[in-house]
Amino acid sequence: MIERIVDVAIIGGGPAGLAAANGAVANGAEKVLIIERDRELGGILQQCIHNGFGLHRFHEELTGPGYASRYVKMVQGQPQIETMLDTMVLEISADKTIVAVNPREGVVCIRAKAVIFTMGCRERTRGAIRIPGQRPAGVFTAGAAQRMVNMEGYLPGKNIVILGSGDIGLIMARRMTLEGAKVHACIEIMPYSNGLTRNVVQCLEDFDIPLFLAHSVVKIHGGDRITGITVAQVDDNRLPIPGTEFDLPCDCLLLSVGLIPENELSKNIGLAMDDITGGPIVDQYRQTTLPGFFAAGNVVHVHDLVDFVSEEGDIAGKWAACYGKGQLAQPERSIAVKPGKSIRSVVPQQLAVTRDMAAVRLFMRVTEPQHKLIIEIASEGRVIMERRLPIAKPGEMIVIDIPAEKIRTASEIVSVLVKQQGGEK
């Protein structure tokens, strides 16, 4: 078995992994290894040929491959960074030993001083949402269809219905229309869209594609190939309302019903997981509950903008390099960050109070659309910080920076909650 010794091992070569490698080298790591199971670096960005990337990171609008190529060039231009493509990680142990395999070298053992998880996320499938009916051809996840169209050159169908209004589904509604297919409708079980507002406008409204809110697919028709679906309105409990059913003919159903952080490796080594985000619990350094293991990007929580994924990768890379050199300060104490009223999730879930700590950036999502709200960060009933917002939606991340001096005055638990402007919490 081939053995390698590195300072920082990064599992996943997408936007988070590339940024982590760059951040690790910038902070003194002498040997960084990126392990990627696909045939090229860039992750999901390679199939996202639409624009809208990089507005925060590079202050210009780029396509997904254009954004990825910038980081790939950064990585390839640094001799400290090595990449292993077409490589699958088989197992990882708590002592930071990684066993991987690829067609060129066979089984490889990698020993690292620090490990960064940047595996991204996967799509929820039809089996996860239990749609009744046959199992005909023509039912795809939106991401699989995106890869087929944009990278493989295949059109999955000509009469399309999309279930779910996540960003990938919305973007594929536009993409399939531009490819000459007819998108009959976008069906969303919630009473609001789960995608970015700009995607609802640019991908549905601009192309006159109807969006049915508070509806769901209750049956799939067809034997060998899908021939249509039955749609019904749902009540407040997300259950179909009898008598509201109607049929839509289609030869392709695309599912955009959520993303799940890819965390089998994280669970196997016993990292504490967040039941809401589906990712590991991390502190502001993106260190998990197991020292020396860091995580960043969609493997921690699902982002809406790749710019924030890269930012998290930078953070994880910097502090993983510091950990490997013994320069990551031991925390004086730890503060738990808890979501309160109308807040679904907050990352990081812990704050490590150190002597030289800097300001902390919190990423959060609300449980439902809110107007004229105040995000309140409090500790033991005392308000540490407030942020007024005109509107907030579950599909759009809220980002708040908290100065270090405000964190130092907090107790062992900090709560993040929503109250209405001029109203009650």
Side-chain angles (χ1 to χ4, degrees):
M1 183 186 300
I2 298 173
E3 289 198 10
R4 297 188 183 183
I5 299 175
V6 299
D7 293 330
V8 178
I10 300 168
I11 304 176
L18 294 171
N22 195 55
V25 170
N27 288 275
E30 296 179 357
K31 195 164 186 179
V32 176
L33 177 64
I34 301 175
I35 305 169
E36 169 57 44
R37 67 182 176 186
D38 207 346
R39 58 182 183 244
E40 57 192 349
L41 296 172
I44 198 70
L45 290 176
Q46 298 292 7
Q47 67 187 52
C48 299
I49 64 173
H50 52 279
N51 60 1
F53 301 91
L55 290 171
H56 294 267
R57 202 71 177 161
F58 298 113
H59 306 292
E60 60 180 296
E61 199 169 31
L62 303 168
T63 63
Y67 184 99
S69 70
R70 296 207 176 185
Y71 270 101
V72 170
K73 288 176 182 176
M74 291 182 200
V75 165
Q76 291 177 341
Q78 301 186 72
Q80 302 96 322
I81 302 174
E82 183 185 356
T83 59
M84 291 176 64
L85 301 179
D86 202 17
T87 302
M88 176 68 72
V89 172
L90 300 178
E91 62 180 45
I92 184 168
S93 56
D95 65 354
K96 307 177 191 67
T97 299
I98 301 167
V99 178
V101 65
N102 63 49
R104 300 171 305 280
E105 301 167 289
V107 180
V108 182
C109 178
I110 301 141
R111 305 186 191 280
K113 296 178 182 177
V115 176
I116 306 177
F117 291 136
T118 54
M119 294 89 72
C121 54
R122 66 177 185 270
E123 294 181 280
R124 186 174 281 112
T125 61
R126 175 185 175 175
I129 57 175
R130 300 179 181 178
I131 303 175
Q134 299 295 318
R135 296 292 185 269
V139 181
F140 301 90
T141 60
Q146 186 181 53
R147 187 178 180 96
M148 287 176 63
V149 174
N150 295 344
M151 296 185 72
E152 312 299 339
Y154 296 103
L155 196 65
K158 294 186 177 179
N159 289 284
I160 316 293
V161 175
I162 296 173
L163 175 60
S165 61
D167 288 312
I168 302 176
L170 298 175
I171 288 164
M172 282 307 293
R174 176 178 63 185
R175 183 69 182 144
M176 297 302 290
T177 301
L178 293 174
E179 288 295 331
K182 172 64 177 175
V183 180
H184 293 275
C186 183
I187 313 296
E188 171 56 54
I189 195 170
M190 302 299 287
Y192 50 81
S193 170
N194 280 302
L196 294 172
T197 301
R198 73 182 189 196
N199 284 333
V200 175
V201 173
Q202 295 173 3
C203 300
L204 295 186
E205 295 177 8
D206 288 357
F207 291 88
D208 296 322
I209 299 172
L211 172 61
F212 292 92
L213 297 175
H215 284 72
S216 187
V217 175
V218 295
K219 191 171 183 181
I220 294 176
H221 305 285
D224 294 334
R225 179 82 191 187
I226 182 172
T227 58
I229 59 171
T230 299
V231 180
Q233 189 175 350
V234 299
D235 58 22
D236 293 340
N237 296 317
R238 316 287 177 251
L239 297 175
I241 300 174
T244 62
E245 299 90 350
F246 61 93
D247 291 339
L248 284 175
C250 64
D251 62 9
C252 180
L253 174 66
L254 301 186
L255 306 179
S256 178
V257 291
L259 299 169
I260 304 168
E262 188 78 72
N263 271 299
E264 276 67 27
L265 292 174
S266 311
K267 294 173 182 175
N268 287 343
I269 58 171
L271 297 186
M273 308 297 288
D274 186 321
D275 293 335
I276 301 299
T277 64
I281 293 173
V282 296
D283 60 20
Q284 75 268 33
Y285 304 119
R286 296 307 181 267
Q287 186 169 211
T288 66
T289 52
L290 193 60
F293 287 86
F294 298 76
N298 282 353
V299 81
V300 178
H301 60 138
V302 178
H303 292 69
D304 46 7
L305 298 177
V306 73
D307 306 71
F308 291 142
V309 171
S310 296
E311 179 182 314
E312 276 197 354
D314 270 342
I315 294 170
K318 173 183 178 180
W319 295 108
C322 291
Y323 179 91
K325 296 186 295 180
Q327 296 175 354
L328 181 57
Q330 291 296 316
E332 301 166 2
R333 61 191 180 95
S334 181
I335 299 173
V337 184
K338 302 290 186 182
K341 178 178 171 58
S342 297
I343 296 290
R344 176 169 174 76
S345 63
V346 183
V347 172
Q349 298 92 341
Q350 293 180 345
L351 302 178
V353 180
T354 58
R355 182 178 63 257
D356 55 351
M357 72 179 298
V360 172
R361 173 163 286 187
L362 294 183
F363 297 86
M364 62 196 74
R365 292 185 187 272
V366 293
T367 56
E368 58 187 1
Q370 305 269 348
H371 297 270
K372 294 184 179 179
L373 67 155
I374 299 174
I375 303 292
E376 186 177 279
I377 301 169
S379 178
E380 291 187 336
R382 179 176 58 86
V383 177
I384 297 175
M385 189 174 175
E386 285 186 345
R387 168 73 65 83
R388 293 175 179 267
L389 296 172
I391 189 170
K393 297 181 179 180
E396 299 181 7
M397 193 87 74
I398 300 170
V399 182
I400 296 179
D401 293 321
I402 308 177
E405 57 271 16
K406 292 184 179 291
I407 298 171
R408 289 186 178 280
T409 62
S411 64
E412 302 305 309
I413 298 177
V414 166
S415 298
V416 183
L417 50 90
V418 170
K419 67 177 184 180
Q420 296 300 313
Q421 296 182 19
E424 297 183 354
K425 297 179 184 177

